[in-house]
Amino acid sequence: MTESGWRITLADVVIGDEERQAVDEVLRSGWLSMGPRTEEFERALGAALGTPNVLAVANGTAALHLAAAALELGPGDEVIVPALTFVASAAGIRATGASVVLGDSLSLDDFALDPTEIDRLAGPATRAVVILHYGGYPADVDALLAAAERHGLLVIEDAAHALGATVDGRACGALGDAGTFSFFPNKNMTTGEGGAVVFADEQAAERGRRLRSHEMTTLTWDRHRGHASSYDVLGLGFNYRIDEIRAALGTVQLGRLPQLNETRGALSERYRKRLAASERVAVPSQGGRGRSAYHLATLVADSPELRDELREALRAERIQTSVHYPAISTFTAYAGSRAHVPRAEEIAARSLTLPLHPNLRFEDVDLVCDVVLRATGEA
Ligand SMILES: *Cc1c(COP(=O)(O)O)cnc(C)c1O
């Protein structure tokens, strides 16, 4: 906030004395690479998600690649991916050699993947579907899981927006065969760079653990403790490890998460109330399913031109906005993905992401809304 020149930033982090102390303890311990604090962070995440097979990793993109690799996706396989997500949801899949087929959103009021897209797009080579809980709002999970099951597809949840979101009391990210999280600083909790992947199946988790660390059969930490003296290498692996500094940060941030998400929820409601009177912008309901993690505050303008005007009016007041996301179908690198995703492309042209983070005050939300309503001619 202080270093940016923006009056109101899109995102911000909450870092306190507990984080500083946790990092200091790691530095004093002298053990910085993956070890006991990582195990502690993984246990805490597992408790929060209600699932035992959790791997903390280097970032959310590594988590997606690791999920796809541990589920044994590869060349010749096709995976259905929403067109309206961060490109990493698709890139993590493509990194295995599998190809991506883009699916459309439900509507301008509900950006998540349309479950009927699975029926439209699934063919003999289709092996999996990626789902995104857009902005932290649970996707239509029951219909998506049912469609995946009809076609015998694995389900990978990109839950980068959705840590703390639930459907019928079940944690988003722990509903499919694998779920991935990001702890990048603009997410609901942060470790700097960082991520996690969870697996429903213990064997997939074991493959993921080996792939995270070069497919070696023992870890540096085991060898340090004298539990192992050598190792074998079973295949082509990666270095996707997190470290103790980030893991210690993660455990503290996870403890803060319920409060951080509650604040995001109250601010999101404020946006919804203040903009409800407008006839030219709408705050999408995103389906209203389960409990949201309130990652993004989004509006939809009545035209692409108005969206661009709003963006400019807010920028002139030094209020930072963004667009989540340009549809993946419009990227050069995905020109071959034979996509027909008109709703996702319209959302990308008409939506705007407004500032949302736990350091925002109600007055800040009111100011953003005042600028929006002045620009629409409604205030
Ligand atoms: C942030 C994000 C990622 C990537 O996470 P990194 O930690 O930045 O690699 C993937 N998917 C979605 C939807 C995200 O928002």
Side-chain angles (χ1 to χ4, degrees), residues 24-182:
D24 196 45
E25 272 168 28
V26 174
L27 297 179
R28 285 171 200 280
S29 79
W31 186 263
L32 305 188
S33 70
M34 210 169 71
R37 272 138 185 128
T38 302
E39 287 173 13
E40 184 189 0
F41 181 39
E42 290 176 341
R43 273 197 306 276
L45 274 170
L49 296 167
T51 183
N53 303 313
V54 182
L55 285 71
V57 296
N59 57 65
T61 307
L64 281 154
H65 183 201
L66 204 57
L71 294 175
E72 302 182 305
L73 299 175
D77 296 334
E78 277 184 12
V79 178
I80 299 168
V81 175
L84 197 80
T85 178
F86 185 53
V87 68
S89 310
I93 301 296
R94 283 181 68 183
T96 65
S99 58
V100 156
V101 180
L102 297 175
D104 210 354
S105 296
L106 274 161
S107 72
L108 285 159
D109 183 55
D110 190 352
F111 296 0
L113 182 64
D114 178 348
T116 68
E117 286 290 85
I118 296 176
D119 298 317
R120 181 173 75 91
L121 297 169
T126 313
R127 292 231 16 240
V129 57
V130 173
I131 66 182
L132 172 73
H133 304 290
Y134 181 96
Y137 294 83
D140 190 356
V141 170
D142 291 339
L144 288 164
L145 292 179
E149 191 171 342
R150 267 200 307 284
H151 295 279
L153 307 183
L154 296 163
V155 173
I156 300 173
E157 289 176 270
D158 183 339
H161 298 181
L163 187 58
T166 59
V167 181
D168 297 330
R170 296 167 302 155
C172 289
L175 302 169
D177 297 283
T180 66
F181 298 92
S182 165

Side-chain angles (χ1 to χ4, degrees), residues 13-24 190 248-249 252-253 256 260 359:
V13 297
V14 176
I15 300 288
D17 287 339
E18 284 158 281
E19 279 83 354
R20 276 184 280 276
Q21 196 179 329
V23 169
D24 196 45
T190 187
L249 273 173
V252 177
Q253 287 269 299
R256 285 190 197 280
L260 299 177
N359 296 327

Side-chain angles (χ1 to χ4, degrees), residues 30-369:
W31 186 263
L32 305 188
S33 70
M34 210 169 71
R37 272 138 185 128
T38 302
E39 287 173 13
E40 184 189 0
F41 181 39
E42 290 176 341
R43 273 197 306 276
L45 274 170
L49 296 167
T51 183
N53 303 313
V54 182
L55 285 71
V57 296
N59 57 65
T61 307
L64 281 154
H65 183 201
L66 204 57
L71 294 175
E72 302 182 305
L73 299 175
D77 296 334
E78 277 184 12
V79 178
I80 299 168
V81 175
L84 197 80
T85 178
F86 185 53
V87 68
S89 310
I93 301 296
R94 283 181 68 183
T96 65
S99 58
V100 156
V101 180
L102 297 175
D104 210 354
S105 296
L106 274 161
S107 72
L108 285 159
D109 183 55
D110 190 352
F111 296 0
L113 182 64
D114 178 348
T116 68
E117 286 290 85
I118 296 176
D119 298 317
R120 181 173 75 91
L121 297 169
T126 313
R127 292 231 16 240
V129 57
V130 173
I131 66 182
L132 172 73
H133 304 290
Y134 181 96
Y137 294 83
D140 190 356
V141 170
D142 291 339
L144 288 164
L145 292 179
E149 191 171 342
R150 267 200 307 284
H151 295 279
L153 307 183
L154 296 163
V155 173
I156 300 173
E157 289 176 270
D158 183 339
H161 298 181
L163 187 58
T166 59
V167 181
D168 297 330
R170 296 167 302 155
C172 289
L175 302 169
D177 297 283
T180 66
F181 298 92
S182 165
F183 309 124
F184 191 68
N186 64 5
K187 301 305 195 306
N188 288 28
M189 62 163 263
T190 187
T191 60
E193 297 283 355
V197 52
V198 308
F199 292 98
D201 174 50
E202 169 62 31
Q203 283 178 354
E206 214 31 66
R207 283 195 296 275
R209 266 185 212 104
R210 282 203 310 266
L211 285 164
R212 171 173 62 176
S213 206
H214 310 286
E215 285 245 26
M216 285 159 67
T217 51
T218 66
L219 297 174
T220 318
W221 175 239
D222 296 321
R223 293 191 297 280
H224 178 73
R225 288 183 297 177
H227 292 184
S229 55
S230 187
Y231 57 84
D232 190 13
V233 172
L234 303 176
L236 181 63
F238 323 115
N239 176 0
Y240 281 169
R241 295 184 303 264
I242 197 165
D243 60 57
E244 293 288 89
I245 302 163
R246 286 152 216 248
L249 273 173
T251 302
V252 177
Q253 287 269 299
L254 188 61
R256 285 190 197 280
L257 187 74
Q259 182 60 53
L260 299 177
N261 283 3
E262 199 180 311
T263 304
R264 287 174 171 276
L267 294 162
S268 301
E269 276 315 305
R270 184 88 166 191
Y271 274 123
R272 196 175 292 283
K273 275 214 191 78
R274 284 292 323 274
L275 297 176
S278 174
E279 310 237 303
R280 301 201 62 202
V281 301
V283 176
S285 76
Q286 306 298 5
R289 294 168 288 259
R291 185 176 77 196
S292 178
Y294 302 106
H295 177 56
L296 299 175
T298 310
L299 64 72
V300 175
D302 66 4
S303 69
E305 296 72 29
L306 177 61
R307 192 280 303 276
D308 293 344
E309 284 166 34
L310 293 174
R311 202 166 185 194
E312 182 48 36
L314 289 160
R315 198 199 57 75
E317 295 291 338
R318 291 188 292 122
I319 296 167
Q320 188 182 24
T321 62
S322 186
V323 173
H324 291 86
Y325 295 92
I328 292 179
S329 50
T330 60
F331 294 142
T332 304
Y334 289 81
S337 60
R338 58 184 169 82
H340 177 70
V341 289
R343 293 185 295 267
E345 289 176 2
E346 190 170 357
I347 290 165
R350 285 174 49 190
S351 66
L352 188 64
T353 307
L354 303 173
L356 181 61
H357 58 75
N359 296 327
L360 215 59
R361 301 160 305 173
F362 283 142
E363 307 93 277
D364 299 322
V365 172
D366 289 344
L367 174 63
V368 173
C369 294

